Amino acid sequence: MALYEHVVISRQDISPQQAEALNDTLKHLIEEGGGNVAKIEYWGLRNLTYRIKKNRKGHYSLLAIDAPSDIVKEMERQLSINEDVLRYMTVRVDELDLELSPILARRDRDRERRDDVPQF
């Protein structure tokens, strides 16, 4: 099986719970096909660089996948017909990075800095 990193951007109008449900649906689809999802990260609602289908923001998610290529193609087919999905991108990688992504690592580091500042 091949290793992939997959990023999904969904519409700003859906709730974070609906974005998480989309991730769970993708995970279920991959596992049904004999693949494995090693990591799912929800990055939250983030600004887009340019408007996509009249949206200025989108819910970002990252999935680290170990699956056959036909399952990945089926996942992409289903995402292409889902109205809540603005964009998606799947990249084949040599090895999966299971550490915290730079996006979430920076968010945690910023949160720690705010907690270290004394409140008066």
Side-chain angles (χ1 to χ4, degrees), residues 16-35:
Q17 291 80 16
Q18 289 173 307
E20 292 279 352
L22 176 64
N23 292 341
D24 292 339
T25 303
L26 295 175
K27 180 179 179 181
H28 180 71
L29 176 70
I30 292 166
E31 289 176 348
E32 269 188 348

PDB file of all heavy atoms in Angstrom, residues 16-35:
ATOM      1  N   PRO A  16     -17.855  23.164  12.986  1.00  0.00           N
ATOM      2  CA  PRO A  16     -16.671  22.316  13.203  1.00  0.00           C
ATOM      3  C   PRO A  16     -17.039  20.842  13.389  1.00  0.00           C
ATOM      4  O   PRO A  16     -16.295  19.960  12.971  1.00  0.00           O
ATOM      5  CB  PRO A  16     -16.045  22.895  14.466  1.00  0.00           C
ATOM      6  CG  PRO A  16     -16.486  24.317  14.487  1.00  0.00           C
ATOM      7  CD  PRO A  16     -17.866  24.311  13.883  1.00  0.00           C
ATOM      8  N   GLN A  17     -18.212  20.586  13.982  1.00  0.00           N
ATOM      9  CA  GLN A  17     -18.650  19.202  14.173  1.00  0.00           C
ATOM     10  C   GLN A  17     -18.939  18.535  12.819  1.00  0.00           C
ATOM     11  O   GLN A  17     -18.642  17.348  12.634  1.00  0.00           O
ATOM     12  CB  GLN A  17     -19.908  19.142  15.054  1.00  0.00           C
ATOM     13  CG  GLN A  17     -19.663  19.527  16.488  1.00  0.00           C
ATOM     14  CD  GLN A  17     -19.606  21.030  16.719  1.00  0.00           C
ATOM     15  OE1 GLN A  17     -20.040  21.813  15.877  1.00  0.00           O
ATOM     16  NE2 GLN A  17     -19.047  21.443  17.837  1.00  0.00           N
ATOM     17  N   GLN A  18     -19.488  19.295  11.884  1.00  0.00           N
ATOM     18  CA  GLN A  18     -19.742  18.745  10.555  1.00  0.00           C
ATOM     19  C   GLN A  18     -18.433  18.492   9.812  1.00  0.00           C
ATOM     20  O   GLN A  18     -18.323  17.523   9.056  1.00  0.00           O
ATOM     21  CB  GLN A  18     -20.637  19.683   9.747  1.00  0.00           C
ATOM     22  CG  GLN A  18     -22.067  19.719  10.232  1.00  0.00           C
ATOM     23  CD  GLN A  18     -22.874  20.793   9.525  1.00  0.00           C
ATOM     24  OE1 GLN A  18     -22.475  21.949   9.496  1.00  0.00           O
ATOM     25  NE2 GLN A  18     -24.006  20.403   8.955  1.00  0.00           N
ATOM     26  N   ALA A  19     -17.445  19.349  10.017  1.00  0.00           N
ATOM     27  CA  ALA A  19     -16.131  19.139   9.403  1.00  0.00           C
ATOM     28  C   ALA A  19     -15.487  17.879   9.983  1.00  0.00           C
ATOM     29  O   ALA A  19     -14.883  17.086   9.246  1.00  0.00           O
ATOM     30  CB  ALA A  19     -15.237  20.352   9.624  1.00  0.00           C
ATOM     31  N   GLU A  20     -15.621  17.682  11.289  1.00  0.00           N
ATOM     32  CA  GLU A  20     -15.102  16.462  11.927  1.00  0.00           C
ATOM     33  C   GLU A  20     -15.855  15.230  11.417  1.00  0.00           C
ATOM     34  O   GLU A  20     -15.264  14.175  11.219  1.00  0.00           O
ATOM     35  CB  GLU A  20     -15.234  16.567  13.447  1.00  0.00           C
ATOM     36  CG  GLU A  20     -14.345  17.613  14.084  1.00  0.00           C
ATOM     37  CD  GLU A  20     -12.917  17.162  14.286  1.00  0.00           C
ATOM     38  OE1 GLU A  20     -12.618  15.964  14.082  1.00  0.00           O
ATOM     39  OE2 GLU A  20     -12.094  18.020  14.634  1.00  0.00           O
ATOM     40  N   ALA A  21     -17.162  15.369  11.198  1.00  0.00           N
ATOM     41  CA  ALA A  21     -17.955  14.254  10.667  1.00  0.00           C
ATOM     42  C   ALA A  21     -17.493  13.879   9.263  1.00  0.00           C
ATOM     43  O   ALA A  21     -17.473  12.690   8.902  1.00  0.00           O
ATOM     44  CB  ALA A  21     -19.431  14.608  10.671  1.00  0.00           C
ATOM     45  N   LEU A  22     -17.113  14.876   8.461  1.00  0.00           N
ATOM     46  CA  LEU A  22     -16.574  14.602   7.136  1.00  0.00           C
ATOM     47  C   LEU A  22     -15.274  13.803   7.255  1.00  0.00           C
ATOM     48  O   LEU A  22     -15.054  12.842   6.515  1.00  0.00           O
ATOM     49  CB  LEU A  22     -16.324  15.910   6.381  1.00  0.00           C
ATOM     50  CG  LEU A  22     -15.679  15.792   5.006  1.00  0.00           C
ATOM     51  CD1 LEU A  22     -16.582  15.041   4.036  1.00  0.00           C
ATOM     52  CD2 LEU A  22     -15.353  17.171   4.458  1.00  0.00           C
ATOM     53  N   ASN A  23     -14.420  14.169   8.213  1.00  0.00           N
ATOM     54  CA  ASN A  23     -13.182  13.420   8.447  1.00  0.00           C
ATOM     55  C   ASN A  23     -13.486  11.977   8.842  1.00  0.00           C
ATOM     56  O   ASN A  23     -12.818  11.044   8.386  1.00  0.00           O
ATOM     57  CB  ASN A  23     -12.348  14.084   9.540  1.00  0.00           C
ATOM     58  CG  ASN A  23     -11.802  15.424   9.119  1.00  0.00           C
ATOM     59  OD1 ASN A  23     -11.725  15.732   7.938  1.00  0.00           O
ATOM     60  ND2 ASN A  23     -11.442  16.236  10.081  1.00  0.00           N
ATOM     61  N   ASP A  24     -14.484  11.789   9.706  1.00  0.00           N
ATOM     62  CA  ASP A  24     -14.859  10.437  10.128  1.00  0.00           C
ATOM     63  C   ASP A  24     -15.388   9.620   8.953  1.00  0.00           C
ATOM     64  O   ASP A  24     -15.117   8.419   8.849  1.00  0.00           O
ATOM     65  CB  ASP A  24     -15.902  10.498  11.241  1.00  0.00           C
ATOM     66  CG  ASP A  24     -15.343  11.064  12.538  1.00  0.00           C
ATOM     67  OD1 ASP A  24     -14.095  11.044  12.712  1.00  0.00           O
ATOM     68  OD2 ASP A  24     -16.138  11.531  13.375  1.00  0.00           O
ATOM     69  N   THR A  25     -16.136  10.266   8.059  1.00  0.00           N
ATOM     70  CA  THR A  25     -16.652   9.588   6.874  1.00  0.00           C
ATOM     71  C   THR A  25     -15.504   9.125   5.978  1.00  0.00           C
ATOM     72  O   THR A  25     -15.517   7.993   5.481  1.00  0.00           O
ATOM     73  CB  THR A  25     -17.582  10.536   6.078  1.00  0.00           C
ATOM     74  OG1 THR A  25     -18.626  10.977   6.935  1.00  0.00           O
ATOM     75  CG2 THR A  25     -18.152   9.857   4.860  1.00  0.00           C
ATOM     76  N   LEU A  26     -14.511   9.995   5.798  1.00  0.00           N
ATOM     77  CA  LEU A  26     -13.346   9.626   4.990  1.00  0.00           C
ATOM     78  C   LEU A  26     -12.583   8.468   5.630  1.00  0.00           C
ATOM     79  O   LEU A  26     -12.156   7.538   4.944  1.00  0.00           O
ATOM     80  CB  LEU A  26     -12.429  10.830   4.794  1.00  0.00           C
ATOM     81  CG  LEU A  26     -13.004  11.994   3.995  1.00  0.00           C
ATOM     82  CD1 LEU A  26     -12.027  13.158   3.986  1.00  0.00           C
ATOM     83  CD2 LEU A  26     -13.362  11.564   2.596  1.00  0.00           C
ATOM     84  N   LYS A  27     -12.422   8.539   6.938  1.00  0.00           N
ATOM     85  CA  LYS A  27     -11.716   7.469   7.657  1.00  0.00           C
ATOM     86  C   LYS A  27     -12.448   6.140   7.487  1.00  0.00           C
ATOM     87  O   LYS A  27     -11.822   5.105   7.214  1.00  0.00           O
ATOM     88  CB  LYS A  27     -11.594   7.826   9.142  1.00  0.00           C
ATOM     89  CG  LYS A  27     -10.881   6.777   9.954  1.00  0.00           C
ATOM     90  CD  LYS A  27     -10.761   7.175  11.406  1.00  0.00           C
ATOM     91  CE  LYS A  27     -10.066   6.063  12.180  1.00  0.00           C
ATOM     92  NZ  LYS A  27      -9.933   6.382  13.591  1.00  0.00           N
ATOM     93  N   HIS A  28     -13.769   6.168   7.633  1.00  0.00           N
ATOM     94  CA  HIS A  28     -14.558   4.946   7.493  1.00  0.00           C
ATOM     95  C   HIS A  28     -14.426   4.378   6.078  1.00  0.00           C
ATOM     96  O   HIS A  28     -14.269   3.165   5.898  1.00  0.00           O
ATOM     97  CB  HIS A  28     -16.025   5.249   7.833  1.00  0.00           C
ATOM     98  CG  HIS A  28     -16.924   4.069   7.731  1.00  0.00           C
ATOM     99  ND1 HIS A  28     -16.884   3.026   8.621  1.00  0.00           N
ATOM    100  CD2 HIS A  28     -17.882   3.757   6.825  1.00  0.00           C
ATOM    101  CE1 HIS A  28     -17.779   2.120   8.279  1.00  0.00           C
ATOM    102  NE2 HIS A  28     -18.400   2.542   7.192  1.00  0.00           N
ATOM    103  N   LEU A  29     -14.472   5.234   5.065  1.00  0.00           N
ATOM    104  CA  LEU A  29     -14.336   4.802   3.675  1.00  0.00           C
ATOM    105  C   LEU A  29     -12.986   4.141   3.433  1.00  0.00           C
ATOM    106  O   LEU A  29     -12.903   3.075   2.795  1.00  0.00           O
ATOM    107  CB  LEU A  29     -14.512   6.001   2.739  1.00  0.00           C
ATOM    108  CG  LEU A  29     -14.297   5.735   1.257  1.00  0.00           C
ATOM    109  CD1 LEU A  29     -15.427   4.880   0.702  1.00  0.00           C
ATOM    110  CD2 LEU A  29     -14.202   7.035   0.499  1.00  0.00           C
ATOM    111  N   ILE A  30     -11.934   4.740   3.952  1.00  0.00           N
ATOM    112  CA  ILE A  30     -10.581   4.201   3.758  1.00  0.00           C
ATOM    113  C   ILE A  30     -10.421   2.871   4.475  1.00  0.00           C
ATOM    114  O   ILE A  30      -9.874   1.913   3.923  1.00  0.00           O
ATOM    115  CB  ILE A  30      -9.529   5.220   4.232  1.00  0.00           C
ATOM    116  CG1 ILE A  30      -9.541   6.421   3.288  1.00  0.00           C
ATOM    117  CG2 ILE A  30      -8.145   4.591   4.297  1.00  0.00           C
ATOM    118  CD1 ILE A  30      -8.807   7.627   3.826  1.00  0.00           C
ATOM    119  N   GLU A  31     -10.911   2.783   5.707  1.00  0.00           N
ATOM    120  CA  GLU A  31     -10.775   1.537   6.460  1.00  0.00           C
ATOM    121  C   GLU A  31     -11.619   0.413   5.871  1.00  0.00           C
ATOM    122  O   GLU A  31     -11.231  -0.750   5.951  1.00  0.00           O
ATOM    123  CB  GLU A  31     -11.113   1.782   7.930  1.00  0.00           C
ATOM    124  CG  GLU A  31     -10.037   2.602   8.622  1.00  0.00           C
ATOM    125  CD  GLU A  31     -10.371   2.951  10.058  1.00  0.00           C
ATOM    126  OE1 GLU A  31     -11.537   2.762  10.478  1.00  0.00           O
ATOM    127  OE2 GLU A  31      -9.454   3.418  10.759  1.00  0.00           O
ATOM    128  N   GLU A  32     -12.773   0.743   5.278  1.00  0.00           N
ATOM    129  CA  GLU A  32     -13.586  -0.271   4.599  1.00  0.00           C
ATOM    130  C   GLU A  32     -12.844  -0.865   3.409  1.00  0.00           C
ATOM    131  O   GLU A  32     -13.001  -2.039   3.103  1.00  0.00           O
ATOM    132  CB  GLU A  32     -14.894   0.337   4.097  1.00  0.00           C
ATOM    133  CG  GLU A  32     -16.033   0.260   5.045  1.00  0.00           C
ATOM    134  CD  GLU A  32     -17.333   0.718   4.393  1.00  0.00           C
ATOM    135  OE1 GLU A  32     -17.298   1.303   3.287  1.00  0.00           O
ATOM    136  OE2 GLU A  32     -18.376   0.484   4.997  1.00  0.00           O
ATOM    137  N   GLY A  33     -12.038  -0.053   2.752  1.00  0.00           N
ATOM    138  CA  GLY A  33     -11.288  -0.505   1.584  1.00  0.00           C
ATOM    139  C   GLY A  33      -9.974  -1.174   1.920  1.00  0.00           C
ATOM    140  O   GLY A  33      -9.194  -1.481   1.028  1.00  0.00           O
ATOM    141  N   GLY A  34      -9.698  -1.381   3.195  1.00  0.00           N
ATOM    142  CA  GLY A  34      -8.475  -2.065   3.583  1.00  0.00           C
ATOM    143  C   GLY A  34      -7.316  -1.138   3.877  1.00  0.00           C
ATOM    144  O   GLY A  34      -6.195  -1.601   4.088  1.00  0.00           O
ATOM    145  N   GLY A  35      -7.567   0.155   3.935  1.00  0.00           N
ATOM    146  CA  GLY A  35      -6.510   1.110   4.246  1.00  0.00           C
ATOM    147  C   GLY A  35      -6.481   1.452   5.722  1.00  0.00           C
ATOM    148  O   GLY A  35      -7.234   0.897   6.528  1.00  0.00           O
TER     149      GLY A  35
END
